[in-house]
């Protein structure tokens, strides 16, 4: 077994969540061999063409990763691994939000600019289509091309949801879409849970809109105020209203999302973006997230 291959215990958790063999067409290559090749590439950032021969044809491994990135298979696998992860904390389910900027390699540039281009197979997601604003989640700044990963993690430093934007985009406007993307399936019947009891973030996410959204959904906000916001409130006196409640003890656990970011960045294909397409890079992040959940499964 290679260094980054699946262990027997991890394979027992992952195998039931993988798609079954299709009825029509040629028989797929062994799932475990191909998955080991994908995990090897995600961890080492090896170019697809340079994958070790023990994983089979590199084109087979790449096509499997591309197909499952576009049709949402990686996301469905993550849903299966995350099912019921909130039940341990019960009504006190807490999440933390933060972002990290990832440098994009020059190989990540140069994607075709034709909008509306779709893959040749059915069932692909529409999110991969190119948009004029922030094409392929690549931004150009003084440091070069970059992508920003907006992330939500739980108390055990496991990724819950993610959104990609160009690197120069701000954190605050993406806080509400990030929370809306939370979806934790239940182990039994019932709708997925998408409303934590407490949401923690640093002062970059402090805004009236974000606090109003959390208050409307009965989510306790653990977000410190910016100095200028506190000064403006003091200057207005009684018209400024009461300052928001801030739980300093609970805020000490906000570093869980930063530790989750560190776990993701241990995968070199996540720490530096090599994928041209946004959906393919999202799939790479999901593969790294799957490995994190396999090593710390729901009990």
């Amino acid at each position: 077994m290679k260094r980054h291959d699946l262990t027997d215990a991890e394979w027992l958790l992952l195998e039931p969540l993988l798609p079954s063999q299709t009825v029509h067409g040629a028989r797929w290559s062994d799932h475990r061999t191909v998955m080991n090749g994908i995990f090897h590439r995600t961890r080492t950032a090896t170019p697809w063409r340079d994958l070790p021969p023990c994983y089979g044809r590199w084109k087979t491994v790449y096509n499997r990763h591309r197909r499952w990135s576009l049709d949402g298979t990686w996301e469905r696998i993550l849903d299966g691994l995350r099912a019921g992860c909130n039940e341990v904390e019960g009504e006190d389910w807490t999440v933390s939000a933060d972002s990290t900027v990832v440098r994009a390699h020059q190989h990540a540039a140069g994607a075709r600019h034709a909008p509306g281009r779709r893959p040749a197979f059915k069932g692909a997601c529409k999110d991969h289509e190119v948009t004029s604003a922030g094409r392929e989640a690549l931004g150009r700044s003084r440091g070069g091309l970059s992508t920003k990963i907006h992330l939500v993690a739980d108390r055990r430093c496991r990724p819950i949801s993610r959104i990609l934007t160009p690197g120069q985009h701000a954190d605050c406007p993406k806080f509400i879409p990030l929370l809306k993307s939370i979806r934790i399936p239940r182990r039994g019947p019932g709708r997925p849970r998408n409303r934590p009891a407490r949401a923690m973030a640093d002062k970059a996410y402090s805004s009236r809109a974000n606090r109003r959204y959390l208050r409307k959904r009965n989510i306790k906000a653990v977000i410190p105020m910016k100095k200028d916001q506190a000064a403006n409130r003091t200057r207005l006196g009684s018209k400024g209203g009461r300052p928001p409640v801030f739980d300093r003890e609970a805020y000490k656990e906000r570093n869980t999302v930063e530790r989750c970011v560190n776990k993701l960045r241990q995968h070199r294909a996540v720490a530096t973006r090599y994928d041209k397409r946004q959906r393919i890079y999202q799939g790479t992040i999901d593969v790294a997230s799957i490995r994190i959940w396999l090593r710390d499964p729901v009990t």
Side-chain angles (χ1 to χ4, degrees), residues 32 89 105 128 189 191 193 219 236 264 266 272 294 299:
R32 186 166 184 175
E89 300 182 32
H105 194 269
H128 79 285
R191 293 180 297 176
R193 184 172 179 183
I219 302 175
L236 293 174
L264 285 175
Q266 289 177 3
T272 302
L294 287 175
T299 55

Side-chain angles (χ1 to χ4, degrees), residues 9-46:
E10 292 173 343
W11 177 245
L12 288 176
L13 292 173
L14 184 61
E15 185 180 16
L17 304 175
L18 298 177
S20 59
Q21 170 67 39
T22 55
V23 178
H24 303 287
R27 185 172 180 82
W28 282 359
S29 299
D30 178 60
H31 271 328
R32 186 166 184 175
T33 302
V34 175
M35 289 293 297
N36 285 334
I38 295 173
F39 282 128
H40 177 86
R41 182 262 174 182
T42 304
R43 186 66 172 82
T44 64
T46 302

Side-chain angles (χ1 to χ4, degrees), residues 36-108:
N36 285 334
I38 295 173
F39 282 128
H40 177 86
R41 182 262 174 182
T42 304
R43 186 66 172 82
T44 64
T46 302
W48 290 106
R49 294 176 182 267
D50 297 334
L51 279 177
C54 61
Y55 300 120
R57 295 178 63 247
W58 72 267
K59 188 68 173 176
T60 300
V61 181
Y62 167 73
N63 285 342
R64 190 78 55 88
H65 175 63
R66 177 181 180 273
R67 177 182 292 271
W68 288 1
S69 297
L70 295 179
D71 66 10
T73 298
W74 294 130
E75 297 176 7
R76 288 191 290 272
I77 293 174
L78 271 174
D79 286 342
L81 292 173
R82 287 192 291 239
C85 67
N86 59 294
E87 296 176 359
V88 176
E89 300 182 32
E91 297 299 327
D92 194 35
W93 182 37
T94 303
V95 298
S96 303
D98 204 351
S99 67
T100 181
V101 177
V102 174
R103 288 292 303 274
H105 194 269
Q106 59 184 359
H107 293 168

Side-chain angles (χ1 to χ4, degrees), residues 39-252:
F39 282 128
H40 177 86
R41 182 262 174 182
T42 304
R43 186 66 172 82
T44 64
T46 302
W48 290 106
R49 294 176 182 267
D50 297 334
L51 279 177
C54 61
Y55 300 120
R57 295 178 63 247
W58 72 267
K59 188 68 173 176
T60 300
V61 181
Y62 167 73
N63 285 342
R64 190 78 55 88
H65 175 63
R66 177 181 180 273
R67 177 182 292 271
W68 288 1
S69 297
L70 295 179
D71 66 10
T73 298
W74 294 130
E75 297 176 7
R76 288 191 290 272
I77 293 174
L78 271 174
D79 286 342
L81 292 173
R82 287 192 291 239
C85 67
N86 59 294
E87 296 176 359
V88 176
E89 300 182 32
E91 297 299 327
D92 194 35
W93 182 37
T94 303
V95 298
S96 303
D98 204 351
S99 67
T100 181
V101 177
V102 174
R103 288 292 303 274
H105 194 269
Q106 59 184 359
H107 293 168
R112 297 181 64 178
H113 294 173
R117 185 170 176 267
R118 301 193 178 189
F121 55 87
K122 297 181 180 180
C125 293
K126 297 181 179 179
D127 296 343
H128 79 285
E129 296 179 2
V130 180
T131 58
S132 57
R135 182 182 292 124
E136 302 298 344
L138 280 175
R140 188 176 295 277
S141 60
R142 194 183 311 175
L145 294 174
S146 61
T147 297
K148 179 173 283 190
I149 304 174
H150 304 266
L151 188 70
V152 169
D154 64 1
R155 282 176 169 174
R156 293 171 63 173
C157 309
R158 300 174 299 189
I160 297 295
S161 65
R162 50 93 186 104
I163 291 179
L164 299 186
T165 63
Q168 74 275 13
H169 282 200
D171 295 345
C172 190
K174 295 301 178 182
F175 183 67
I176 295 178
L178 190 60
L179 291 183
K180 287 183 177 180
S181 66
I182 296 177
R183 181 180 179 276
I184 305 299
R186 299 181 187 271
R187 290 181 173 179
R191 293 180 297 176
R193 184 172 179 183
N194 55 11
R195 187 182 304 179
R198 184 185 292 114
M200 297 187 290
D202 58 26
K203 61 179 63 178
Y205 295 89
S206 177
S207 71
R208 288 186 177 180
N210 291 343
R211 296 183 187 275
R212 187 184 305 115
Y213 173 80
L214 295 176
R215 186 166 53 250
K216 183 178 179 180
R217 294 174 61 85
N218 294 324
I219 302 175
K220 184 178 180 181
V222 186
I223 305 174
M225 285 189 65
K226 296 180 180 179
K227 290 184 178 180
D228 59 336
Q229 294 175 348
N232 290 336
R233 186 182 294 273
T234 303
R235 179 176 54 83
L236 293 174
S238 60
K239 294 182 179 180
R242 282 186 270 178
V245 178
F246 175 61
D247 191 342
R248 293 185 178 275
E249 288 299 320
Y251 188 70
K252 293 179 181 180

Side-chain angles (χ1 to χ4, degrees), residues 236-276:
L236 293 174
S238 60
K239 294 182 179 180
R242 282 186 270 178
V245 178
F246 175 61
D247 191 342
R248 293 185 178 275
E249 288 299 320
Y251 188 70
K252 293 179 181 180
E253 298 183 13
R254 193 196 64 84
N255 61 7
T256 53
V257 66
E258 297 176 351
R259 288 150 60 190
C260 180
V261 168
N262 290 337
K263 288 184 178 182
L264 285 175
R265 294 182 73 101
Q266 289 177 3
H267 299 79
R268 298 168 70 88
V270 175
T272 302
R273 175 176 172 176
Y274 297 95
D275 301 302
K276 294 180 184 293

